[in-house]
Amino acid sequence: MRHTTKLCVRGYHLDVYGHVNNARYLEFLEEARWRFFEEQDVIEAITGEALAMVVVNININYRRAALIHEELEIATEVTRVGNKSFVIHQEIAVAETGEMIADTDGTYVLFDNAIGTSVVIEGKYKELLDRLR
């Protein structure tokens, strides 16, 4: 299941070079993930049981700088669900042209806040994440 989120580049997203700073892309990607998970009722299903989805690895390929007033489209999809982790692929592109800005594959775990460690993805959590693929 592929989900898209649109964001407009604002002045406060820019660095001294006049383009979006590399660290800001992490915020854009996170916003898109939150919207995706909220729309699919994943946040409440997981956090209601004191779990969190935690990033354990993320690799970003920067293709070109995003500039002020560009509307960006961020595609988000779960591409793999394993025993203890799952992978989310995301792409940031210029909405109007489809020109690629950046793409990433991030690895996430379900983290149990009460015991302070990741947990096996099974049962309803596996079904929930599999539904998003």
Side-chain angles (χ1 to χ4, degrees):
M1 172 183 304
R2 191 171 171 98
H3 178 271
T4 58
T5 300
K6 289 190 177 181
L7 297 171
C8 186
V9 176
R10 306 291 183 199
Y12 65 89
H13 294 139
L14 306 181
D15 61 17
V16 296
Y17 302 109
H19 60 16
V20 174
N21 181 273
N22 66 318
R24 275 287 185 186
Y25 291 102
L26 290 169
E27 294 173 357
F28 293 172
L29 295 165
E30 185 170 17
E31 176 65 24
R33 286 192 309 274
W34 273 92
R35 288 188 193 180
F36 173 52
F37 288 134
E38 286 171 340
E39 288 179 18
Q40 298 302 317
D41 296 322
V42 172
I43 300 295
E44 188 173 311
I46 291 176
T47 61
E49 302 214 8
L51 297 177
M53 290 177 283
V54 176
V55 179
V56 294
N57 180 277
I58 193 160
N59 298 295
I60 302 174
N61 301 304
Y62 298 100
R63 308 296 181 184
R64 84 143 170 93
L67 306 172
I68 194 163
H69 305 302
E70 285 185 315
E71 185 173 35
L72 305 180
E73 186 172 87
I74 305 169
T76 303
E77 62 185 323
V78 174
T79 56
R80 186 183 73 75
V81 179
N83 185 44
K84 285 199 76 170
S85 67
F86 58 101
V87 175
I88 299 175
H89 178 76
Q90 292 181 279
E91 297 175 350
I92 303 173
V94 177
E96 186 177 328
T97 65
E99 185 178 6
M100 188 65 62
I101 299 289
D103 61 275
T104 180
D105 286 298
T107 303
Y108 301 78
V109 298
L110 294 184
F111 188 84
D112 186 319
N113 293 311
I115 60 175
T117 188
S118 62
V119 297
V120 173
I121 300 171
E122 59 188 358
K124 66 182 178 181
Y125 303 116
K126 177 125 175 67
E127 289 174 19
L128 182 64
L129 291 169
D130 279 341
R131 179 175 54 86
L132 301 179
R133 291 194 350 197

PDB file of all heavy atoms in Angstrom, residues 33-46:
ATOM      1  N   ARG A  33       5.371   9.605   7.455  1.00  0.00           N
ATOM      2  CA  ARG A  33       5.104   8.332   8.134  1.00  0.00           C
ATOM      3  C   ARG A  33       3.966   8.482   9.134  1.00  0.00           C
ATOM      4  O   ARG A  33       3.069   7.634   9.216  1.00  0.00           O
ATOM      5  CB  ARG A  33       6.363   7.806   8.844  1.00  0.00           C
ATOM      6  CG  ARG A  33       7.392   7.239   7.910  1.00  0.00           C
ATOM      7  CD  ARG A  33       8.481   6.466   8.648  1.00  0.00           C
ATOM      8  NE  ARG A  33       9.101   7.160   9.744  1.00  0.00           N
ATOM      9  CZ  ARG A  33      10.134   7.999   9.633  1.00  0.00           C
ATOM     10  NH1 ARG A  33      10.679   8.255   8.448  1.00  0.00           N
ATOM     11  NH2 ARG A  33      10.655   8.571  10.701  1.00  0.00           N
ATOM     12  N   TRP A  34       3.980   9.561   9.924  1.00  0.00           N
ATOM     13  CA  TRP A  34       2.913   9.781  10.893  1.00  0.00           C
ATOM     14  C   TRP A  34       1.563   9.875  10.196  1.00  0.00           C
ATOM     15  O   TRP A  34       0.582   9.277  10.635  1.00  0.00           O
ATOM     16  CB  TRP A  34       3.173  11.049  11.712  1.00  0.00           C
ATOM     17  CG  TRP A  34       4.028  10.791  12.904  1.00  0.00           C
ATOM     18  CD1 TRP A  34       5.388  10.897  12.980  1.00  0.00           C
ATOM     19  CD2 TRP A  34       3.595  10.355  14.192  1.00  0.00           C
ATOM     20  NE1 TRP A  34       5.824  10.556  14.234  1.00  0.00           N
ATOM     21  CE2 TRP A  34       4.742  10.223  15.007  1.00  0.00           C
ATOM     22  CE3 TRP A  34       2.352  10.063  14.741  1.00  0.00           C
ATOM     23  CZ2 TRP A  34       4.676   9.815  16.332  1.00  0.00           C
ATOM     24  CZ3 TRP A  34       2.277   9.664  16.059  1.00  0.00           C
ATOM     25  CH2 TRP A  34       3.431   9.542  16.841  1.00  0.00           C
ATOM     26  N   ARG A  35       1.490  10.628   9.108  1.00  0.00           N
ATOM     27  CA  ARG A  35       0.218  10.762   8.389  1.00  0.00           C
ATOM     28  C   ARG A  35      -0.251   9.408   7.858  1.00  0.00           C
ATOM     29  O   ARG A  35      -1.432   9.065   7.946  1.00  0.00           O
ATOM     30  CB  ARG A  35       0.350  11.762   7.243  1.00  0.00           C
ATOM     31  CG  ARG A  35       0.448  13.191   7.707  1.00  0.00           C
ATOM     32  CD  ARG A  35       0.383  14.143   6.556  1.00  0.00           C
ATOM     33  NE  ARG A  35       0.787  15.477   6.950  1.00  0.00           N
ATOM     34  CZ  ARG A  35       0.815  16.499   6.115  1.00  0.00           C
ATOM     35  NH1 ARG A  35       0.474  16.342   4.845  1.00  0.00           N
ATOM     36  NH2 ARG A  35       1.189  17.677   6.542  1.00  0.00           N
ATOM     37  N   PHE A  36       0.672   8.648   7.284  1.00  0.00           N
ATOM     38  CA  PHE A  36       0.352   7.317   6.765  1.00  0.00           C
ATOM     39  C   PHE A  36      -0.200   6.431   7.871  1.00  0.00           C
ATOM     40  O   PHE A  36      -1.271   5.827   7.751  1.00  0.00           O
ATOM     41  CB  PHE A  36       1.623   6.714   6.152  1.00  0.00           C
ATOM     42  CG  PHE A  36       1.511   5.275   5.728  1.00  0.00           C
ATOM     43  CD1 PHE A  36       0.483   4.843   4.904  1.00  0.00           C
ATOM     44  CD2 PHE A  36       2.458   4.363   6.127  1.00  0.00           C
ATOM     45  CE1 PHE A  36       0.403   3.508   4.492  1.00  0.00           C
ATOM     46  CE2 PHE A  36       2.395   3.033   5.720  1.00  0.00           C
ATOM     47  CZ  PHE A  36       1.351   2.613   4.908  1.00  0.00           C
ATOM     48  N   PHE A  37       0.521   6.359   8.982  1.00  0.00           N
ATOM     49  CA  PHE A  37       0.100   5.494  10.081  1.00  0.00           C
ATOM     50  C   PHE A  37      -1.188   5.981  10.742  1.00  0.00           C
ATOM     51  O   PHE A  37      -2.019   5.181  11.165  1.00  0.00           O
ATOM     52  CB  PHE A  37       1.214   5.328  11.106  1.00  0.00           C
ATOM     53  CG  PHE A  37       2.337   4.468  10.621  1.00  0.00           C
ATOM     54  CD1 PHE A  37       3.649   4.866  10.794  1.00  0.00           C
ATOM     55  CD2 PHE A  37       2.097   3.255   9.993  1.00  0.00           C
ATOM     56  CE1 PHE A  37       4.701   4.068  10.354  1.00  0.00           C
ATOM     57  CE2 PHE A  37       3.135   2.450   9.550  1.00  0.00           C
ATOM     58  CZ  PHE A  37       4.439   2.866   9.725  1.00  0.00           C
ATOM     59  N   GLU A  38      -1.372   7.293  10.843  1.00  0.00           N
ATOM     60  CA  GLU A  38      -2.617   7.814  11.415  1.00  0.00           C
ATOM     61  C   GLU A  38      -3.816   7.438  10.550  1.00  0.00           C
ATOM     62  O   GLU A  38      -4.853   7.010  11.061  1.00  0.00           O
ATOM     63  CB  GLU A  38      -2.546   9.334  11.577  1.00  0.00           C
ATOM     64  CG  GLU A  38      -1.666   9.769  12.718  1.00  0.00           C
ATOM     65  CD  GLU A  38      -1.412  11.272  12.744  1.00  0.00           C
ATOM     66  OE1 GLU A  38      -1.581  11.951  11.717  1.00  0.00           O
ATOM     67  OE2 GLU A  38      -1.017  11.745  13.819  1.00  0.00           O
ATOM     68  N   GLU A  39      -3.672   7.597   9.248  1.00  0.00           N
ATOM     69  CA  GLU A  39      -4.774   7.287   8.338  1.00  0.00           C
ATOM     70  C   GLU A  39      -5.114   5.802   8.325  1.00  0.00           C
ATOM     71  O   GLU A  39      -6.238   5.423   8.009  1.00  0.00           O
ATOM     72  CB  GLU A  39      -4.452   7.773   6.928  1.00  0.00           C
ATOM     73  CG  GLU A  39      -4.497   9.276   6.813  1.00  0.00           C
ATOM     74  CD  GLU A  39      -4.156   9.784   5.420  1.00  0.00           C
ATOM     75  OE1 GLU A  39      -4.213   9.001   4.447  1.00  0.00           O
ATOM     76  OE2 GLU A  39      -3.830  10.979   5.308  1.00  0.00           O
ATOM     77  N   GLN A  40      -4.153   4.964   8.663  1.00  0.00           N
ATOM     78  CA  GLN A  40      -4.379   3.520   8.693  1.00  0.00           C
ATOM     79  C   GLN A  40      -4.668   2.999  10.103  1.00  0.00           C
ATOM     80  O   GLN A  40      -4.705   1.797  10.319  1.00  0.00           O
ATOM     81  CB  GLN A  40      -3.157   2.795   8.104  1.00  0.00           C
ATOM     82  CG  GLN A  40      -2.889   3.123   6.659  1.00  0.00           C
ATOM     83  CD  GLN A  40      -4.079   2.795   5.774  1.00  0.00           C
ATOM     84  OE1 GLN A  40      -4.703   1.751   5.921  1.00  0.00           O
ATOM     85  NE2 GLN A  40      -4.390   3.682   4.847  1.00  0.00           N
ATOM     86  N   ASP A  41      -4.873   3.911  11.060  1.00  0.00           N
ATOM     87  CA  ASP A  41      -5.173   3.559  12.454  1.00  0.00           C
ATOM     88  C   ASP A  41      -4.104   2.678  13.089  1.00  0.00           C
ATOM     89  O   ASP A  41      -4.401   1.813  13.914  1.00  0.00           O
ATOM     90  CB  ASP A  41      -6.548   2.885  12.564  1.00  0.00           C
ATOM     91  CG  ASP A  41      -7.674   3.819  12.156  1.00  0.00           C
ATOM     92  OD1 ASP A  41      -7.583   5.016  12.479  1.00  0.00           O
ATOM     93  OD2 ASP A  41      -8.626   3.347  11.514  1.00  0.00           O
ATOM     94  N   VAL A  42      -2.852   2.916  12.722  1.00  0.00           N
ATOM     95  CA  VAL A  42      -1.752   2.125  13.263  1.00  0.00           C
ATOM     96  C   VAL A  42      -1.242   2.713  14.567  1.00  0.00           C
ATOM     97  O   VAL A  42      -0.919   1.970  15.500  1.00  0.00           O
ATOM     98  CB  VAL A  42      -0.602   2.019  12.232  1.00  0.00           C
ATOM     99  CG1 VAL A  42       0.622   1.372  12.832  1.00  0.00           C
ATOM    100  CG2 VAL A  42      -1.077   1.249  11.011  1.00  0.00           C
ATOM    101  N   ILE A  43      -1.185   4.022  14.667  1.00  0.00           N
ATOM    102  CA  ILE A  43      -0.621   4.681  15.850  1.00  0.00           C
ATOM    103  C   ILE A  43      -1.345   4.228  17.114  1.00  0.00           C
ATOM    104  O   ILE A  43      -0.731   3.761  18.074  1.00  0.00           O
ATOM    105  CB  ILE A  43      -0.678   6.218  15.720  1.00  0.00           C
ATOM    106  CG1 ILE A  43       0.104   6.694  14.503  1.00  0.00           C
ATOM    107  CG2 ILE A  43      -0.182   6.879  17.007  1.00  0.00           C
ATOM    108  CD1 ILE A  43       1.581   6.457  14.560  1.00  0.00           C
ATOM    109  N   GLU A  44      -2.641   4.352  17.123  1.00  0.00           N
ATOM    110  CA  GLU A  44      -3.411   3.991  18.314  1.00  0.00           C
ATOM    111  C   GLU A  44      -3.314   2.497  18.621  1.00  0.00           C
ATOM    112  O   GLU A  44      -3.209   2.097  19.776  1.00  0.00           O
ATOM    113  CB  GLU A  44      -4.872   4.393  18.135  1.00  0.00           C
ATOM    114  CG  GLU A  44      -5.684   4.238  19.402  1.00  0.00           C
ATOM    115  CD  GLU A  44      -7.075   4.804  19.249  1.00  0.00           C
ATOM    116  OE1 GLU A  44      -7.200   5.951  18.783  1.00  0.00           O
ATOM    117  OE2 GLU A  44      -8.032   4.091  19.595  1.00  0.00           O
ATOM    118  N   ALA A  45      -3.315   1.669  17.581  1.00  0.00           N
ATOM    119  CA  ALA A  45      -3.247   0.219  17.782  1.00  0.00           C
ATOM    120  C   ALA A  45      -1.934  -0.198  18.440  1.00  0.00           C
ATOM    121  O   ALA A  45      -1.900  -1.146  19.215  1.00  0.00           O
ATOM    122  CB  ALA A  45      -3.413  -0.504  16.451  1.00  0.00           C
ATOM    123  N   ILE A  46      -0.867   0.519  18.145  1.00  0.00           N
ATOM    124  CA  ILE A  46       0.446   0.156  18.703  1.00  0.00           C
ATOM    125  C   ILE A  46       0.734   0.909  19.993  1.00  0.00           C
ATOM    126  O   ILE A  46       1.079   0.309  21.005  1.00  0.00           O
ATOM    127  CB  ILE A  46       1.557   0.368  17.656  1.00  0.00           C
ATOM    128  CG1 ILE A  46       1.382  -0.674  16.543  1.00  0.00           C
ATOM    129  CG2 ILE A  46       2.940   0.279  18.288  1.00  0.00           C
ATOM    130  CD1 ILE A  46       2.339  -0.539  15.393  1.00  0.00           C
TER     131      ILE A  46
END
